[in-house]
């Protein structure tokens, strides 16, 4: 499937910003089933400096600085991608690696792949292992349970027991709070699942990107109606990282477009940086359009 993705981020400040330095994670990365074959980045006002790079996790980064007074900032990124379907859904009922076997593989860390995965089993800035998180899923991840089936059951458990509520959380809400109130958004669902997996001794990472949203039958597609999306991936030695989307109760496939991944949301925020002045308040608007081509 080929897509055109347009992501527009706009800030309006209560008074002029005199200087800003920023790093953006807004360009989709290449993966085993995804290739970004063209992209355009436009920043207004025009930066005095800009450069592209790669972060610690291999994600595409875009750095820029603006050194003229401005009261609005707009970053407009257009990406063209080819995304191939995955085969993970066909393995759920047949893959035999158990949770106990996977925990042993991570404990021994005999391969480079396993050693690299270990950092995704530890605490990170926004996700801490805990007994509460472990208790929520302990019966799913017993030693004899096939790990793919257990992860699929976790995805279904979050989808069926939690309520999607954009007003219940913000980007700093910890997984334990999400578990307590059983409400949140895609970021919360992903980080809750990751916290649970790490709490039972497994490795999981945070996936950030987009998902194609199709309109109801008979209605026209709305430009800008799509949004940034988040899901999680679990490390399986012979398969790599298998991606689950608890918001929609599906495994990621060719409708999921990956911007990047990290240990949690803090590693892959769309835009971060420093501004000088700008008043005591600002407003943010984000428009994302995912379109098949």
């Amino acid at each position: 499937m080929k897509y055109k993705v347009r992501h527009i981020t706009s800030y309006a400040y209560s008074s002029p910003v005199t200087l800003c330095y920023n790093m953006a994670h807004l360009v989709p990365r290449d993966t085993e089933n995804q290739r970004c074959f063209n992209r355009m980045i436009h920043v207004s006002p025009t930066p005095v400096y800009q450069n592209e790079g790669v972060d610690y996790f291999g994600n595409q980064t875009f750095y820029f600085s603006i050194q003229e007074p401005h009261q609005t900032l707009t970053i407009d990124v257009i990406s063209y991608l080819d995304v191939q379907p995955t085969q993970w859904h066909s393995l759920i009922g047949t893959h035999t690696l158990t949770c106990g076997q996977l925990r042993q593989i991570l404990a021994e860390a005999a391969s480079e792949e396993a050693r690299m995965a270990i950092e995704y089993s530890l605490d990170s800035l926004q996700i801490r292992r805990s007994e509460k998180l472990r208790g929520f899923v302990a019966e799913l991840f017993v030693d004899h349970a096939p790990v793919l089936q257990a992860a699929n059951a976790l995805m279904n458990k979050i989808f069926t027991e939690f309520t999607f509520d954009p007003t219940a959380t913000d980007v700093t809400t910890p997984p334990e709070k999400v578990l307590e109130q059983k409400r949140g958004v895609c970021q919360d669902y992903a980080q809750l699942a990751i916290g649970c997996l790490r709490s039972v001794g497994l490795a999981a990472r945070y996936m950030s990107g987009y998902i194609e949203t199709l309109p109801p039958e008979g209605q026209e597609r709305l430009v800008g109606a799509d949004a940034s999306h988040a899901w999680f991936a679990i490390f399986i030695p012979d398969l790599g990282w298998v991606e689950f989307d608890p918001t929609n109760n599906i495994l990621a496939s060719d409708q999921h477009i990956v911007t990047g991944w990290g240990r949690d949301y803090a590693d892959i925020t769309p835009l971060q940086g420093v501004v000088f002045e700008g008043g005591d308040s600002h407003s943010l608007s984000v428009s994302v359009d995912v379109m098949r081509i």
Side-chain angles (χ1 to χ4, degrees), residues 159-231:
F159 178 78
T160 56
E161 296 184 12
F162 288 69
T163 300
F164 191 89
D165 183 354
T167 67
T169 58
D170 58 37
V171 295
T172 65
T173 303
E176 282 196 0
K177 182 66 175 179
V178 177
L179 176 59
E180 177 186 325
Q181 60 189 17
K182 293 193 181 301
R183 311 180 79 85
V185 295
C186 58
Q187 174 193 318
D188 303 304
Y189 290 0
Q191 298 206 139
L192 172 64
I194 293 166
C196 291
L197 289 165
R198 292 177 185 172
S199 295
V200 295
L202 302 178
R205 68 188 183 191
Y206 182 91
M207 307 295 298
S208 179
Y210 313 102
I211 183 172
E212 179 192 29
T213 54
L214 300 175
E217 187 175 352
Q219 295 186 22
E220 290 189 5
R221 197 174 166 282
L222 300 177
V223 174
D226 298 293
S228 296
H229 193 51
W231 58 101

Side-chain angles (χ1 to χ4, degrees), residues 54-219:
V54 178
D55 69 10
Y56 169 77
F57 302 98
N59 303 312
Q60 297 295 314
T61 56
F62 176 68
Y63 300 87
F64 65 91
S65 64
I66 299 172
Q67 298 180 13
E68 64 179 83
H70 57 280
Q71 207 158 341
T72 61
L73 169 65
T74 301
I75 306 99
D76 187 351
V77 180
I78 299 176
S79 304
Y80 295 88
L81 305 108
D82 185 0
V83 186
Q84 298 299 316
T86 64
Q87 303 300 318
W88 295 321
H89 64 279
S90 64
L91 301 172
I92 294 297
T94 59
H95 196 265
T96 58
L97 182 73
T98 67
C99 297
Q101 289 170 332
L102 181 51
R103 277 188 279 264
Q104 186 64 32
I105 289 170
L106 290 170
E108 293 175 351
S111 67
E112 180 183 357
E113 187 181 35
R115 289 191 292 273
M116 294 296 291
I118 287 175
E119 70 176 317
Y120 294 100
S121 68
L122 306 175
D123 292 342
S124 58
L125 183 64
Q126 293 192 339
I127 303 176
R128 303 284 178 174
R129 294 165 293 177
S130 74
E131 279 302 309
K132 286 185 179 179
L133 297 178
R134 191 196 69 80
F136 180 61
V137 298
E139 64 180 19
L140 298 178
F141 291 90
V142 293
D143 280 347
H144 64 270
V147 67
L148 271 188
Q149 291 183 32
N152 195 62
L154 168 60
M155 175 178 70
N156 180 259
K157 184 177 179 68
I158 293 173
F159 178 78
T160 56
E161 296 184 12
F162 288 69
T163 300
F164 191 89
D165 183 354
T167 67
T169 58
D170 58 37
V171 295
T172 65
T173 303
E176 282 196 0
K177 182 66 175 179
V178 177
L179 176 59
E180 177 186 325
Q181 60 189 17
K182 293 193 181 301
R183 311 180 79 85
V185 295
C186 58
Q187 174 193 318
D188 303 304
Y189 290 0
Q191 298 206 139
L192 172 64
I194 293 166
C196 291
L197 289 165
R198 292 177 185 172
S199 295
V200 295
L202 302 178
R205 68 188 183 191
Y206 182 91
M207 307 295 298
S208 179
Y210 313 102
I211 183 172
E212 179 192 29
T213 54
L214 300 175
E217 187 175 352
Q219 295 186 22

Side-chain angles (χ1 to χ4, degrees), residues 8-13 73 75 271 282-286:
I8 304 174
T9 304
S10 299
Y11 286 89
Y13 303 96
L73 169 65
I75 306 99
L271 187 68
H282 71 271
S283 62
L284 167 66
S285 65
V286 177

